[in-house]
Amino acid sequence: MPKIAYNEKGFKQDSLDLIDEINEIVDDFTNQGYTLTLRQVYYQLVSRDFIRNNEKSYNRIKYLVNDGRLAGLIDWEAIVDRTRTLRKFPSWDTPEDLLRAAANQYKVDMWENQPAHVEVWVEKDALIDIVANACEVYDVPHFSCRGYTSQSEMWQAAQRFRSAEEQGRGIVVIHLGDHDPSGIDMSRDIEDRLNMFGADVVFKRIALNWDQILEYTPPPNPTKLTDSRSSDYVRKFGHECWELDALSPNVIAGLITDEIEEYIDWPQWKDQKAREDYEKKALSQIVYEYSIKSTGGGERRTCRCYQCEREFQYTDSDILFFEKYELNCLVCPECKELTEVIDADVARKELENEYGVDF
């Protein structure tokens, strides 16, 4: 990944040491398949006791990452801003590329015959990629609430859930949010409004919960007393609160995966996966046939008939029929027998090895 210098920067040794730690954290999670946000990097530094957990430290890391990138010391692709992304419409170089992309991306609804309709909702947009990675494995819809969910989206969700209910499926909403006055209240708000709109939902808040705070000891923040919900929160949990971002991405993904698996009917799942594999293979065959036809039959090759030992030419299009039945053979135009397709040079080599003579 690119480390590109655009400006010369002078760093004190303690800043260089901190940049080394940032790179180590980034590399560690990159190797696990995660790209961190700036705030996640910050919390990793806090949890490893490299910095204090306060606004001054966060601002220091923010400016240090910025300067470190400009100086070519931190990878430009290593830390992501998930709230600002370019949206581009897809395009392809050839019709074959489009067909191949469609075949590769083809998926059936793995939950079509499952007893439950499951969705994962997360409070913060900054964590949506981590949630998406966990959900992709099991084809689960996921959604970033971005704080309190809008009335429009809540109503749309209720209609979606009611439709699934009419098909005889139970509805499960898995929710993740901060452990602070508003984050706790958001879970209540989601459940209440979905019920108001007529959706019968099993609501599961799987993070961030008190037992996880005790287990993983994420760094705390002071509770915002300006939050109108703070008095009840302080009475129950004290003057500290915790952000979901402070948990390791692996922990968040593991919590999601464990909860999703509770609702899977595995025999149905395997049947649906077998159907997907079969249909995907059929699409790949269509792409292959199109590719051969669009290139005039493909490259011409020479092979030797094992029956009459004569050589003849064939193209990729000649063996399409046989490949459908997983046969690697052709009808010899001379003796009319089925013969294995093998390049002439390879055939000669095999005969030389077998009989010890030159052909």
Side-chain angles (χ1 to χ4, degrees):
M1 293 190 290
K3 292 181 179 179
I4 306 171
Y6 294 96
N7 291 330
E8 290 186 6
K9 298 283 184 179
F11 296 97
K12 294 181 180 179
Q13 188 57 49
D14 62 334
S15 293
L16 290 172
D17 292 342
L18 205 48
I19 287 174
D20 287 341
E21 295 299 337
I22 290 171
N23 283 327
E24 185 176 325
I25 289 168
V26 163
D27 290 343
D28 181 27
F29 282 99
T30 298
N31 291 335
Q32 298 175 54
Y34 297 106
T35 305
L36 302 183
T37 63
L38 176 65
R39 195 152 192 86
Q40 287 173 315
V41 171
Y42 163 73
Y43 274 125
Q44 287 298 315
L45 290 167
V46 172
S47 65
R48 301 179 191 201
D49 294 326
F50 291 116
I51 57 174
R52 294 179 180 273
N53 183 25
N54 53 45
E55 187 174 354
K56 181 179 179 180
S57 294
Y58 179 75
N59 287 332
R60 181 191 178 193
I61 296 304
K62 179 171 65 176
Y63 292 120
L64 186 61
V65 167
N66 179 70
D67 291 344
R69 281 172 154 177
L70 291 172
L73 300 178
I74 297 176
D75 193 318
W76 282 94
E77 295 179 350
I79 301 171
V80 66
D81 180 353
R82 295 193 178 98
T83 62
R84 302 173 180 87
T85 56
L86 175 69
R87 300 185 185 276
K88 182 180 181 298
F89 296 107
S91 59
W92 294 268
D93 292 333
T94 66
E96 181 185 341
D97 289 339
L98 170 58
L99 292 173
R100 196 176 303 280
N104 291 337
Q105 296 170 19
Y106 178 76
K107 291 182 69 66
V108 300
D109 181 2
M110 295 298 294
W111 292 83
E112 182 180 24
N113 299 316
Q114 292 290 319
H117 173 90
V118 179
E119 294 188 11
V120 177
W121 294 18
V122 63
E123 176 186 338
K124 293 182 171 180
D125 205 37
L127 297 174
I128 194 62
D129 282 3
I130 294 171
V131 172
N133 287 344
C135 289
E136 183 180 13
V137 177
Y138 290 119
D139 194 29
V140 173
H142 47 282
F143 167 61
S144 169
C145 301
R146 304 184 75 172
Y148 280 92
T149 308
S150 69
Q151 201 75 295
S152 297
E153 188 56 44
M154 197 72 78
W155 185 85
Q156 291 285 354
Q159 307 316 302
R160 186 167 65 247
F161 296 157
R162 291 178 65 182
S163 176
E165 288 176 46
E166 291 172 359
Q167 300 170 19
R169 302 164 70 191
I171 309 301
V172 180
V173 173
I174 299 169
H175 185 239
L176 302 90
D178 291 341
H179 196 289
D180 61 17
S182 290
I184 295 290
D185 186 64
M186 286 171 195
S187 294
R188 175 211 55 82
D189 175 68
I190 291 171
E191 191 169 11
D192 286 353
R193 283 198 281 162
L194 286 175
N195 288 335
M196 179 181 70
F197 290 133
D200 185 11
V201 174
V202 174
F203 185 85
K204 300 293 291 289
R205 178 185 169 98
I206 65 167
L208 185 59
N209 297 325
W210 185 250
D211 60 326
Q212 294 157 349
I213 292 169
L214 296 177
E215 180 178 358
Y216 298 110
T217 61
N221 296 305
T223 300
K224 293 180 180 178
L225 299 180
T226 54
D227 190 324
S228 60
R229 305 163 191 87
S230 63
S231 57
D232 287 342
Y233 181 88
V234 169
R235 188 164 52 252
K236 293 178 181 177
F237 304 107
H239 288 273
E240 292 181 330
C241 61
W242 296 263
E243 290 192 70
L244 180 62
D245 314 52
L247 287 185
S248 167
N250 281 330
V251 172
I252 295 174
L255 291 170
I256 294 170
T257 298
D258 290 345
E259 191 65 30
I260 289 172
E261 289 179 346
E262 291 291 321
Y263 299 98
I264 294 178
D265 180 329
W266 290 107
Q268 289 280 9
W269 187 273
K270 291 177 181 177
D271 289 346
Q272 197 75 337
K273 188 67 174 71
R275 173 195 157 192
E276 179 181 280
D277 291 343
Y278 175 82
E279 293 173 353
K280 200 167 187 176
K281 185 176 181 181
L283 280 173
S284 296
Q285 182 66 29
I286 292 171
V287 175
Y288 180 46
E289 292 181 16
Y290 176 86
S291 175
I292 297 305
K293 291 176 182 177
S294 66
T295 56
E299 181 183 353
R300 298 190 68 81
R301 299 181 178 88
T302 301
C303 70
R304 177 187 292 274
C305 174
Y306 273 108
Q307 303 296 328
C308 66
E309 296 189 358
R310 295 186 182 181
E311 293 183 0
F312 63 95
Q313 289 191 324
Y314 71 97
T315 65
D316 291 336
S317 60
D318 293 327
I319 61 171
L320 282 176
F321 174 80
F322 298 97
E323 283 196 341
K324 286 182 180 179
Y325 297 96
E326 298 183 353
L327 298 172
N328 191 27
C329 55
L330 284 171
V331 176
C332 173
E334 298 294 334
C335 66
K336 309 302 181 185
E337 295 290 336
L338 283 175
T339 185
E340 183 179 355
V341 174
I342 185 167
D343 288 345
D345 289 342
V346 177
R348 290 191 191 94
K349 192 68 176 177
E350 288 185 355
L351 290 170
E352 288 172 4
N353 292 338
E354 183 175 354
Y355 297 104
V357 295
D358 293 332
F359 284 87

